[in-house]
Amino acid sequence: MNRFLTVLLAFLSPLFLFAQNNSEQLLQELDRTVADYQLYSDKKEIQINKLKELLLSTSSDIQKYDVYGKLYAEYKSYQSDSALIYARKSFQIAEKLNDIEKLNHARLNLASIMGTLGMYKEATDILNRINITTSPELKGYYFTVNSVVYGYMSDYAASLQEKKNYIVLTKKYRDSSLNYYKPQSSAYIMAKSSTLLDAGKHKETLALLLNYFPNIAHNSDDRAVIAYIISQAYRQKKDAEQEKKWLTISAISDLQLAKKEYISLRSLAFLMYENGDIDRAYKYIKRSLEDALFCNARLRTYEISKMLPIINEAYQKQNETNRFQLVLFLISVSILSMFLLAVLFLLFKQMKKLSKAKQDLSLANSKLSELNTELNTFNEKLNETNYTLTEANLLKEIYIGRYMDQCSDYIGKLDEYRRKLNVMATTGKMNDLISAVKSKQFVENELATFLMNFDKTFLQLFPNFISEFSALLIDEEAIQLKEGELLNTELRIFALIRLGIKDSAKISTFLRYSVSTIYNYRSQLKNKAAGPREDFEAKVMRIGTNLK
């Protein structure tokens, strides 16, 4: 069981990490949006100014009613006082047109914006005067405005009893609105999800909204509302991470559409405060208050005013802590600086001692230099001695070489003498002499004796030649001598090379073999080398020395 949980956690940990990274990215986007709030406000003003310019070129009352309605919609969550002005102008035009549907729509706009401004009595009076049966197309909007106004009143209620009564009315009108909206419309989805949420059915709420949310356009006012309801569903579910994520999405949408009357950023500020992110909490609540004051959204201002002192106090405490830490840091740096000065002073004294030590060392170096000079003189003498020994060795090697040349020459002369006798005997028809002279036994015996002497002489000079030479070959190719042999042909070839006779022609003359035979022997042994083939003969030349 424990192993299963471990594997499951290992599998899910990247998903948790991704979710945390995603939330942080959203918060960073929100931070940028808060910083650029003026940019979005300027875009809003440009849209409003275009409508005002259009109004100047509009002459008919119907067109004016339409433009006033658009200006009301632009101002509704941006600047409540201006929205109220254009709602009243719409109402005046509707009265002039004597169009009951336009009149009721204008009254509903008036009641809605009055609710935002905290004019609850005026809003309810207007709603009570509306005969909604005359405008069945507006019933959904009518019940929604009633629900919103009584919702504001419940939040602002002074007593618990009044609050409960207003909550009942809020739910009653919201439930009634569901009967007059199309099931796939945003108004229906928002009302239905709020009803489910009030009933504590957060799973059903999420199932409804998470499927619907991706279909909402980014520039839609409904995007922030739906995201806020999703956050509240996660709040019921006690999933703080998801609640923060969806509050952030809602706040980004509100700010980018330049809404000044909103809930998400203020709620997120308090959540950041609870999570210990005081800097963001203060920045968000400050932005929320400035926007609420700009919009003149009295209920939002009231709600923020209750939270602001708490967050502000925490922010001030954090600043005090930061200041204390800064002072502590400065004190630490000062102490460290004093310590550093003391170390520098000690270092300066140490450097003076070191300077004196350098002078002493310089004197010692001078004496050492004198000794080195004497040693160099001794080395020169030793080198001269070594040179003399080297020269003697060279003479010895030359002597041996000449000795072998003379022996080889002697054998050659004997062979030549044999040929002359052969000619003489042949002309005198001396058959016995011819037989004796034609025999090579004498020469072969002399050659064998010569090679034996060579082997003995060479092994006296290089007693370890055979073992050192065999060490240069791979183990299975080591030289195997026959019984009675001191050196064989292969060893004699490389013995001559060790003596400095590297020319195959000279070696062939010395050993009475053809040049190609000598070349083949050399190649075969190189192929048996334990190391690189091209280094084999150089290693042979180092046999009998200390150079390996």
Side-chain angles (χ1 to χ4, degrees):
M1 184 65 180
N2 290 336
R3 287 185 63 188
F4 173 75
L5 289 173
T6 303
V7 172
L8 182 63
L9 288 172
F11 175 76
L12 293 177
S13 59
L15 299 178
F16 295 149
L17 183 60
F18 173 78
Q20 291 175 353
N21 291 340
N22 190 36
S23 296
E24 183 57 30
Q25 288 174 357
L26 283 170
L27 286 171
Q28 290 174 3
E29 183 182 354
L30 177 58
D31 292 339
R32 291 191 294 270
T33 304
V34 170
D36 296 338
Y37 77 95
Q38 190 59 51
L39 174 66
Y40 300 108
S41 296
D42 292 342
K43 288 181 180 179
K44 188 75 168 180
E45 291 290 345
I46 290 171
Q47 293 174 355
I48 290 171
N49 289 332
K50 286 181 179 178
L51 289 173
K52 288 180 178 179
E53 290 173 3
L54 179 61
L55 188 63
L56 294 175
S57 61
T58 300
S59 57
S60 69
D61 290 335
I62 292 177
Q63 289 177 332
K64 285 182 179 180
Y65 178 84
D66 182 58
V67 177
Y68 285 148
K70 290 179 179 178
L71 282 167
Y72 164 79
E74 291 291 337
Y75 273 121
K76 186 176 186 302
S77 296
Y78 179 65
Q79 200 171 44
S80 299
D81 292 337
S82 297
L84 180 62
I85 291 171
Y86 287 106
R88 282 174 173 161
K89 287 185 176 182
S90 294
F91 180 73
Q92 291 169 0
I93 294 292
E95 281 186 319
K96 190 175 179 182
L97 292 171
N98 197 24
D99 186 326
I100 188 63
E101 187 169 343
K102 286 183 172 54
L103 272 169
N104 285 338
H105 195 276
R107 287 189 181 105
L108 289 173
N109 286 346
L110 272 170
S112 178
I113 196 63
M114 284 177 175
T116 301
L117 288 165
M119 302 166 66
Y120 304 126
K121 182 180 183 306
E122 292 84 347
T124 54
D125 287 346
I126 290 173
L127 290 171
N128 291 332
R129 288 198 300 270
I130 296 175
N131 182 10
I132 198 61
T133 57
T134 60
S135 303
E137 297 84 357
L138 297 176
K139 282 187 177 181
Y141 184 33
Y142 170 78
F143 288 121
T144 296
V145 172
N146 273 278
S147 176
V148 170
V149 169
Y150 284 110
Y152 285 148
M153 292 170 71
S154 69
D155 291 337
Y156 209 55
S159 70
L160 184 61
Q161 184 61 43
E162 288 175 336
K163 187 178 185 68
K164 288 181 179 179
N165 292 336
Y166 291 144
I167 288 174
V168 169
L169 288 171
T170 299
K171 293 180 179 179
K172 172 187 172 183
Y173 283 113
R174 184 187 60 211
D175 294 343
S176 297
S177 70
L178 290 171
N179 299 318
Y180 301 98
Y181 287 129
K182 294 180 180 180
Q184 297 301 319
S185 66
S186 292
Y188 179 87
I189 295 293
M190 287 187 284
K192 181 66 176 176
S193 58
S194 296
T195 301
L196 291 171
L197 200 59
D198 283 345
K201 298 178 179 180
H202 55 267
K203 291 183 179 179
E204 291 86 343
T205 304
L206 291 172
L208 175 65
L209 297 183
L210 290 176
N211 288 329
Y212 181 76
F213 185 80
N215 302 318
I216 304 173
H218 280 272
N219 59 349
S220 171
D221 290 341
D222 299 332
R223 182 178 175 84
V225 178
I226 297 293
Y228 177 75
I229 298 172
I230 292 173
S231 75
Q232 297 311 293
Y234 277 116
R235 184 176 181 84
Q236 277 192 6
K237 193 180 176 182
K238 300 189 184 306
D239 188 338
E241 191 63 33
Q242 288 296 319
E243 179 191 359
K244 179 173 70 173
K245 170 187 171 181
W246 286 98
L247 279 175
T248 306
I249 293 171
S250 178
I252 290 171
S253 179
D254 281 331
L255 292 172
Q256 290 182 351
L257 293 176
K259 290 183 181 180
K260 304 296 183 180
E261 194 270 327
Y262 49 71
I263 305 174
S264 300
L265 189 63
R266 182 254 303 171
S267 300
L268 184 61
F270 197 72
L271 193 60
M272 291 291 102
Y273 165 76
E274 290 178 335
N275 291 340
D277 194 343
I278 305 301
D279 287 334
R280 275 189 170 131
Y282 181 77
K283 179 168 59 178
Y284 294 165
I285 200 70
K286 186 170 177 287
R287 178 77 265 142
S288 299
L289 179 61
E290 290 175 0
D291 286 345
L293 291 172
F294 179 86
C295 183
N296 196 18
R298 294 179 184 176
L299 176 60
R300 303 303 175 213
T301 305
Y302 169 73
E303 291 171 340
I304 293 167
S305 66
K306 291 191 295 183
M307 295 169 54
L308 183 61
I310 300 171
I311 296 175
N312 185 60
E313 183 181 359
Y315 183 73
Q316 295 302 327
K317 283 183 179 179
Q318 180 174 278
N319 285 342
E320 286 296 327
T321 302
N322 291 341
R323 278 195 290 271
F324 175 76
Q325 290 175 346
L326 180 61
V327 171
L328 187 63
F329 174 75
L330 291 174
I331 292 172
S332 300
V333 169
S334 299
I335 294 172
L336 186 62
S337 298
M338 295 295 291
F339 176 74
L340 184 60
L341 287 173
V343 169
L344 288 173
F345 176 73
L346 292 174
L347 183 62
F348 177 73
K349 290 183 68 176
Q350 193 66 28
M351 286 177 67
K352 289 182 71 175
K353 291 180 180 179
L354 183 62
S355 177
K356 187 177 183 306
K358 282 183 177 180
Q359 290 177 359
D360 295 340
L361 182 61
S362 179
L363 292 173
N365 284 336
S366 298
K367 293 180 180 179
L368 184 61
S369 179
E370 292 175 2
L371 291 174
N372 283 335
T373 303
E374 295 175 3
L375 183 60
N376 287 335
T377 303
F378 177 77
N379 284 336
E380 287 175 1
K381 293 179 179 179
L382 184 61
N383 287 335
E384 290 175 2
T385 304
N386 287 336
Y387 178 75
T388 303
L389 290 174
T390 302
E391 190 177 42
N393 288 334
L394 181 61
L395 290 172
K396 180 175 66 175
E397 290 180 5
I398 292 172
Y399 174 76
I400 293 170
R402 286 181 178 176
Y403 163 74
M404 289 187 293
D405 286 340
Q406 287 176 356
C407 289
S408 178
D409 186 58
Y410 173 70
I411 293 169
K413 287 179 179 181
L414 285 177
D415 190 40
E416 184 179 356
Y417 179 69
R418 180 189 61 77
R419 288 196 298 270
K420 287 180 180 181
L421 289 177
N422 182 48
V423 173
M424 293 172 60
T426 302
T427 57
K429 297 181 181 180
M430 300 170 64
N431 294 330
D432 293 338
L433 182 60
I434 290 171
S435 297
V437 171
K438 284 184 177 181
S439 175
K440 294 184 179 181
Q441 187 64 41
F442 175 75
V443 175
E444 289 175 355
N445 291 339
E446 289 298 324
L447 180 60
T449 302
F450 170 74
L451 292 176
M452 181 63 71
N453 290 332
F454 170 77
D455 294 347
K456 289 180 179 179
T457 303
F458 182 79
L459 290 175
Q460 285 177 354
L461 293 172
F462 301 99
N464 298 322
F465 178 79
I466 296 174
S467 60
E468 292 187 36
F469 184 82
S470 295
L472 300 177
L473 304 175
I474 54 180
D475 293 340
E476 57 269 21
E477 297 294 343
I479 299 295
Q480 299 294 331
L481 293 172
K482 296 178 182 179
E483 186 176 354
E485 282 187 334
L486 296 177
L487 298 175
N488 59 15
T489 303
E490 294 170 326
L491 288 171
R492 288 191 190 102
I493 291 171
F494 282 91
L496 290 169
I497 291 172
R498 174 61 188 89
L499 293 174
I501 304 171
K502 297 182 181 180
D503 186 11
S504 293
K506 289 184 178 181
I507 295 172
S508 68
T509 302
F510 183 83
L511 296 178
R512 297 299 188 273
Y513 288 106
S514 67
V515 175
S516 60
T517 302
I518 300 302
Y519 177 78
N520 289 335
Y521 273 122
R522 292 175 77 168
S523 297
Q524 288 172 6
L525 280 174
K526 286 181 181 179
N527 291 334
K528 297 177 183 179
R533 185 177 185 275
E534 56 273 12
D535 295 339
F536 182 69
E537 291 189 0
K539 291 181 179 179
V540 171
M541 293 299 295
R542 291 197 287 271
I543 291 176
T545 69
N546 292 326
L547 302 173
K548 300 297 180 184

